[in-house]
Amino acid sequence: YGQMPMTIELDPSKPGKLGGKLGKGGASSSLSQTTAQASMLQCMAKENMNARYTTVFGDTGGNQDVEGYIAFVCGERPTRKPVKVNEDDMLTLVELNEAEAGRWQPLDSRPEHPLLDHPKRFPAEFNLLNQYEKSMRDLQKNKSSASSRGWNYGLIAVQHPCILQWEWMHPLASGQKGAIQRCEGIFDRKNAMGIVGHIQEPGETEGALRRVAMVAVAASVQGSENP
């Protein structure tokens, strides 16, 4: 959970180093910083929102019609009105409509496996929102301004406290000062590993996110710029 630290620090008394614009200080040892994620989860509990179906939008999303945006991308407008909360930054919480129980049909090859739906995983709408977001990011990289015009909605980033960040088990590299660095796994929008969550209910966590470790195999991956 949270932002992955750049370095590995085996001494728990020393702070790890966070990189990127989201880093706001050192993390305990080489563990990720999850204060913001825990705060989001607490806000969901305070508003009595279903953590699995609740999306979070920052300042960019808060200035736009997020209900219309979700209806445009996912095909269904949320029934419940968005909730705005003011923590360190203004956040907009939107609870998606819960899917019907018979939404997915079991695979004939694995009839007893919950491959497509699980109470600890995000519903399919998160993947649609993530794919649209990544497509808009790719579009912004295009130097032609004409390619970014004419769209109903621009880049709106979706957040959730339980989104997992992946570390690619790549050979570790040493930095300029001899620090061992991590390699974050980054997936394109066609890869199912692009947005995966492990849902923790607010009542289970007592105000904090429990640490989890998951292992996954991806068809393709590229490393972060750290190594």
Side-chain angles (χ1 to χ4, degrees), residues 24-208:
K24 297 182 179 179
S28 175
S29 182
S30 59
L31 299 177
S32 60
Q33 187 77 286
T34 59
T35 304
Q37 284 70 29
S39 178
M40 290 182 194
L41 208 60
Q42 291 168 17
C43 289
M44 294 177 188
K46 182 179 178 181
E47 299 295 336
N48 195 27
M49 304 180 85
N50 187 325
R52 184 187 178 207
Y53 283 90
T54 300
T55 57
V56 183
F57 298 94
D59 291 336
T60 302
N63 297 329
Q64 300 196 42
D65 176 19
V66 290
E67 294 174 277
Y69 171 67
I70 291 175
F72 174 73
V73 176
C74 302
E76 186 177 17
R77 194 177 187 89
T79 302
R80 182 172 177 176
K81 290 294 183 181
V83 175
K84 291 185 180 294
V85 296
N86 188 7
E87 295 295 316
D88 293 336
D89 299 306
M90 178 63 73
L91 299 175
T92 302
L93 309 182
V94 185
E95 186 176 88
L96 304 175
N97 300 336
E98 293 192 28
E100 298 179 358
R103 180 183 193 180
W104 303 107
Q105 296 298 319
L107 298 176
D108 292 337
S109 58
R110 299 181 181 181
E112 298 180 357
H113 251 290
L115 295 180
L116 299 177
D117 194 30
H118 192 278
K120 290 294 184 181
R121 300 287 180 268
F122 291 136
E125 286 76 8
F126 273 83
N127 189 269
L128 294 175
L129 292 169
N130 182 63
Q131 287 192 37
Y132 188 90
E133 175 190 338
K134 287 189 173 183
S135 296
M136 289 296 105
R137 290 189 187 278
D138 291 344
L139 198 61
Q140 285 187 347
K141 295 177 182 178
N142 192 325
K143 296 182 179 180
S144 173
S145 59
S147 63
S148 60
R149 295 197 299 264
W151 295 91
N152 294 35
Y153 296 92
L155 174 60
I156 300 180
V158 61
Q159 306 174 50
H160 194 282
C162 297
I163 292 176
L164 295 176
Q165 307 299 327
W166 296 99
E167 180 177 3
W168 186 14
M169 305 313 292
H170 189 275
L172 298 174
S174 296
Q176 296 179 354
K177 297 183 180 180
I180 303 176
Q181 295 188 315
R182 295 181 182 274
C183 181
E184 183 176 359
I186 301 173
F187 305 95
D188 61 32
R189 63 180 178 274
K190 297 180 181 179
N191 198 312
M193 299 304 300
I195 180 167
V196 176
H198 182 75
I199 306 299
Q200 293 189 26
E201 295 295 335
E204 302 174 357
T205 62
E206 297 182 354

